[in-house]
Amino acid sequence: MKTIDPQQPVVILGGFLITAEAYAPMAEWLKHQGVCDVLVVPMTRLDWFLTIWKFGWRRAIDRVDDMVKQVQQQSPSGKVTLIGHSSGGVMLRLFLSDEPFQGIVYAGSTRCDRLVTLGSPHQAARATPLRAMVDRRFPGCYESGVDYVSIAGKLDLSSEHASSFSRRGAKASYQRAVNDDGCLGDGLVPVESALLTGARSLIQDDTAHGGLFGDIWYGSTQRLEAWWHFVVSCEF
């Protein structure tokens, strides 16, 4: 069993079309817990649109690589914790690998020993080509020296916590992911898609995918405190 220093720095990669300022409260909260430094990868909506193509993924992962190298210098353990929300969690699985992507070997697992994913669509029946490639080439907890933690949300679409956007679109999203529009999920990603095979996992009730989907999401203090405690209180 291995214990990871809860104070080691964190790099956060957000979700599709969500800009960095949405994660600023999360970053500040983590710093107040004693994390020595927290950086959010800067991504505009245009940057996210470009991730439809491989070169867009490379641009995003290059930024992750730069930030990991930056904060690693201040890490008391010499390692870095990664947090990926939604698509960001899938992209970080690729970053950890030592196999080349677009001519670059990132080998992030040599510098990062924990990956926390929040509502990431890891397994999906109709995944985008790049997400499907990640799950095919690096299935489950692919890097043996990394603590993989996946957090999923359950949102009652009839509750006051769900937005009208979730109520209109959730079932179609669930159907695309797992061929079941009656399953449970966070308003966008079904639970079974968000739980990475083999990872330590936590399912949070009344939790939306993001602010567009409900008033309480993974980055809300009510949920952040619980999943972060789960992340740092266990060995792997």
Side-chain angles (χ1 to χ4, degrees), residues 153-230:
K154 290 195 300 185
L155 181 65
D156 182 349
L157 298 176
S158 65
S159 77
E160 61 182 6
H161 296 298
S163 69
S164 58
F165 186 85
S166 286
R167 296 189 187 102
R168 290 194 305 269
K171 290 189 175 183
S173 295
Y174 299 165
Q175 181 67 35
R176 286 192 297 270
V178 295
N179 294 322
D180 180 4
D181 63 7
C183 65
L184 298 174
D186 60 14
L188 181 67
V189 177
V191 168
E192 62 187 275
S193 182
L195 298 183
L196 180 65
T197 302
R200 293 198 289 123
S201 60
L202 176 69
I203 301 172
Q204 294 190 307
D205 291 329
D206 300 320
T207 304
H209 188 76
L212 179 64
F213 298 87
D215 59 355
I216 300 176
W217 69 291
Y218 303 103
S220 301
T221 303
Q222 306 98 306
R223 301 295 176 263
L224 172 55
E225 185 172 5
W227 66 250
W228 183 249
H229 176 75
F230 173 78

Side-chain angles (χ1 to χ4, degrees), residues 10-62:
V10 169
V11 171
I12 301 171
L13 179 60
F16 188 66
L17 297 183
I18 304 176
T19 52
E21 59 266 21
Y23 303 95
M26 181 190 299
E28 286 304 310
W29 187 90
L30 289 169
K31 289 178 183 177
H32 285 135
Q33 308 313 303
V35 176
C36 70
D37 199 4
V38 183
L39 296 182
V40 181
V41 178
M43 293 286 287
T44 66
R45 288 186 174 87
L46 175 59
D47 292 327
W48 279 115
F49 273 122
L50 293 177
T51 62
I52 296 171
W53 298 281
K54 287 184 178 181
F55 79 88
W57 272 49
R58 175 175 164 176
R59 291 174 77 251
I61 298 174
D62 280 347

Side-chain angles (χ1 to χ4, degrees), residues 94 97-106 137-138:
L94 173 59
S97 169
D98 61 1
E99 295 187 23
F101 176 73
Q102 290 284 284
I104 296 179
V105 175
Y106 294 102
R137 291 177 59 186
F138 318 112

